[in-house]
């Protein structure tokens, strides 16, 4: 384990076709704890996570995980090095059962106790193992996506809008589980619910037009007078 941050993103420039979305963007995340990524729609938050996960190839810049430069590695090779990713959409296999989704997450990890631990994190799933994932509620699908990602034993988990489209009672449950996970591993969370993000995260970055506009501890960012302007639609 490196003595430095677990995740270091240096000067990322990422494009969609000819349109540049990220401009020399840099963030860091420690070995344990949660980092929140905030910003209005279109600011570049999802592009940042996709660039870290390997779904998008940055034009320039570096992604370093636990001291290893992963910038040119495939998504699969990044996952083998401890990087987990829960995208905003299509995070589960809708036509498969809960049990089958978890089994896919556990490929290469035959210890059934890992699945039991994942189910203990989200007990609702244990009662729905034979249910088709596409028929779950929005909150249950989010729980399944997180539980499946954890079966890969990531050091770092990237979460894109983990409470989007989720009923308020389930949001609180997911937030509690993420807060508990942040004591054991690193989380980078893109989240629109500002209060929830600040309740979980120790550190936060606010992105505006593909650049970091504000960064600091959760308390510092929350108190910044420019925050609401940068988050306004």
């Amino acid at each position: 384990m490196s003595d430095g941050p677990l995740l270091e993103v240096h000067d990322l420039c990422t494009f969609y076709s000819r349109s540049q979305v990220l401009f020399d963007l840099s963030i860091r995340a420690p070995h344990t704890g949660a980092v929140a990524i905030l910003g209005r729609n279109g600011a570049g938050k999802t592009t940042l996570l996709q660039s870290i996960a390997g779904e998008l190839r940055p034009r320039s810049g570096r992604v370093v995980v636990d001291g290893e430069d992963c910038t040119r590695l495939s998504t699969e090779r990044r996952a083998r090095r401890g990087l987990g990713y829960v995208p905003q959409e299509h995070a589960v296999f809708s036509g498969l059962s809960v049990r089958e989704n978890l089994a896919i997450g556990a490929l290469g990890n035959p210890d059934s106790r890992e699945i039991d631990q994942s189910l203990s994190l989200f007990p609702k799933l244990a009662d729905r193992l034979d249910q088709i994932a596409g028929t779950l509620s929005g909150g249950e699908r989010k729980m399944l996506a997180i539980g499946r990602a954890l079966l890969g034993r990531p050091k770092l988990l990237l979460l894109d809008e983990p409470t989007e489209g989720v009923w308020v009672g389930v949001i609180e449950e997911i937030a509690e589980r993420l807060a508990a996970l942040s004591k054991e591993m690193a989380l980078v969370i893109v989240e629109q619910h500002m209060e929830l993000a600040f309740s979980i995260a120790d550190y936060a970055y606010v992105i505006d037009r593909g650049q970091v506009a504000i960064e600091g501890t959760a308390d510092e960012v929350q108190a910044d007078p420019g925050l609401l302007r940068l988050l306004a639609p």
Side-chain angles (χ1 to χ4, degrees):
M1 178 183 293
S2 168
D3 292 332
L6 177 62
L7 172 70
E8 297 174 272
V9 173
H10 298 286
D11 301 323
L12 277 195
C13 293
T14 302
F15 289 69
Y16 281 116
S17 187
R18 296 183 180 180
S19 299
Q20 188 169 358
V21 180
L22 301 183
F23 297 82
D24 297 312
L25 192 150
S26 299
I27 70 166
R28 305 169 83 188
H31 284 266
T32 59
V35 172
I37 308 296
L38 307 172
R40 62 170 65 93
N41 289 337
K45 305 184 300 296
T46 293
T47 300
L48 172 60
L49 293 195
Q50 290 175 332
S51 299
I52 297 170
E55 292 198 347
L56 288 175
R57 184 65 57 88
R59 187 77 56 88
S60 61
R62 292 193 302 143
V63 176
V64 179
V65 179
D66 209 4
E68 180 180 3
D69 191 335
C70 295
T71 313
R72 301 302 164 192
L73 297 185
S74 66
T75 301
E76 293 76 15
R77 292 178 68 187
R78 295 184 202 209
R80 288 198 291 271
R81 283 159 175 76
L83 201 157
Y85 177 41
V86 179
Q88 183 177 6
E89 298 178 346
H90 310 302
V92 300
F93 295 102
S94 297
L96 301 181
S97 70
V98 170
R99 189 191 309 276
E100 290 167 333
N101 268 274
L102 292 174
I104 290 172
L107 287 175
N109 178 17
D111 190 343
S112 63
R113 290 174 297 179
E114 297 287 342
I115 292 180
D116 291 339
Q117 289 175 4
S118 184
L119 291 172
S120 70
L121 188 67
F122 296 115
K124 284 185 174 68
L125 298 178
D127 298 326
R128 293 165 171 76
L129 285 174
D130 295 318
Q131 186 170 336
I132 298 300
T135 66
L136 297 172
S137 70
E140 290 164 348
R141 287 196 298 274
K142 295 286 188 179
M143 291 177 185
L144 176 57
I146 296 169
R148 193 183 69 185
L150 290 172
L151 288 169
R153 296 182 180 178
K155 303 173 187 176
L156 167 66
L157 187 59
L158 309 172
L159 298 140
D160 195 354
E161 302 285 3
T163 65
E164 183 187 41
V166 177
W167 178 64
V168 63
V170 180
I171 288 176
E172 294 175 358
E173 182 177 351
I174 292 175
E176 289 175 3
R177 302 301 187 272
L178 294 180
L181 283 173
S182 72
K183 300 183 187 309
E184 304 171 3
M185 62 184 298
L187 305 178
V188 175
I189 305 173
V190 166
E191 181 54 65
Q192 291 285 6
H193 290 82
M194 189 169 61
E195 291 183 8
L196 181 146
F198 286 128
S199 73
I200 298 172
D202 309 297
Y203 201 87
Y205 293 87
V206 182
I207 297 177
D208 184 49
R209 300 177 185 178
Q211 297 177 303
V212 173
I214 303 173
E215 70 169 286
T217 67
D219 288 341
E220 290 169 345
V221 172
Q222 200 166 9
D224 192 294
L227 177 63
L228 293 181
R229 175 182 58 81
L230 290 169
L231 298 183

